[in-house]
Amino acid sequence: DELLVKVFLEDIGINVMLSVPKSYPDITPKAVIAAYNESKIARSQLTALNVEFKKHMEEYRGGEPVMYDILSWVQENAPEHLKKVQEKSSVTHEDNKDEQKESKIVILQREWIWFIGFYTKKIIKAFVETASKMELTGFLVPGKPAVACLEGSKSRIDEFLKVTRTQLFATVAPASRKMKLVHREEDVKTRKFKDFSEVKMACLSGAHKRKDIVDLGELQRFMTDHNCADAFKLLFNDAVK
């Protein structure tokens, strides 16, 4: 089971995302800390906090309940670790401002991504919100298979992919988080999408046991309507090899 626990530290809110195995407490849950809405935590602070949190989680060996201890550690230790990198995060914030000023002349790129499956509503929401905050445009089609398009500067796309792998997918089972970067278009002249959003497709019905098999015909029509027909061929000729 996946749990999302909101922890408030003075005027800062953070989420603790827990993946609890059926054999708990014999097997220790996986956990990662994520930002809560418009919190005041810079990405550099969140990354540093998760490094320390991971070290703490590695101390557990299983065999006893640890949920209370995990949340207590976050409440007691998170403020101190966030404070340690406060100065560094301030510098990063200024760098981000400079990057935003320069973004008008940065060459755009477009990344096409294929996923074996993408189902969890909380992670879908976090994926879309994080992409929007990083000023990326494009879309995510969840389901099986799932597809995403990212438009933005090289640095923003690379940073988003790093956050996706290390934070958003941290509690997802390895077999369920297969993500293939199929193709990146460089020197893109204009964006094809005005913002970043979740696009819901019709799912196939009938003999399928699963109810989330994406109708590829509808997906192809959607991508063709947005002048992305060539990308559809790349995604489904290359991604499944």
Side-chain angles (χ1 to χ4, degrees), residues 162-176:
K162 181 179 179 182
V163 169
T164 298
R165 289 191 178 102
T166 60
Q167 296 180 26
L168 301 185
F169 283 3
T171 61
V172 179
S176 302

Side-chain angles (χ1 to χ4, degrees), residues 19-20 37 54 66 90 117 126 207 209:
S19 179
V20 185
N37 291 340
K54 183 179 179 181
V66 296
S90 297
K209 292 182 179 180

Side-chain angles (χ1 to χ4, degrees), residues 36-66:
Y36 169 63
N37 291 340
E38 300 296 330
S39 69
K40 298 180 181 180
I41 305 176
R43 285 191 291 272
S44 58
Q45 288 179 294
L46 192 61
T47 299
L49 178 57
N50 269 297
V51 169
E52 298 301 322
F53 186 48
K54 183 179 179 181
K55 292 178 182 177
H56 177 71
M57 291 296 297
E58 289 173 350
E59 296 177 1
Y60 297 124
R61 293 293 181 266
E64 59 182 37
V66 296

Side-chain angles (χ1 to χ4, degrees), residues 147-175:
V147 171
C149 170
L150 308 173
E151 296 179 324
S153 68
K154 180 181 184 302
S155 61
R156 290 295 176 89
I157 292 175
D158 290 345
E159 182 180 7
F160 176 79
L161 293 174
K162 181 179 179 182
V163 169
T164 298
R165 289 191 178 102
T166 60
Q167 296 180 26
L168 301 185
F169 283 3
T171 61
V172 179

Side-chain angles (χ1 to χ4, degrees), residues 111-159:
E111 183 80 58
W112 293 98
I113 310 172
W114 177 92
F115 304 86
I116 192 171
F118 205 138
Y119 317 106
T120 308
K121 291 182 179 180
K122 291 193 293 289
I123 299 180
I124 291 171
K125 181 181 179 181
F127 189 97
V128 173
E129 289 181 349
T130 303
S132 298
K133 288 178 182 178
M134 292 188 181
E135 299 182 349
L136 297 176
T137 55
F139 65 88
L140 167 67
V141 175
K144 183 179 178 66
V147 171
C149 170
L150 308 173
E151 296 179 324
S153 68
K154 180 181 184 302
S155 61
R156 290 295 176 89
I157 292 175
D158 290 345
E159 182 180 7

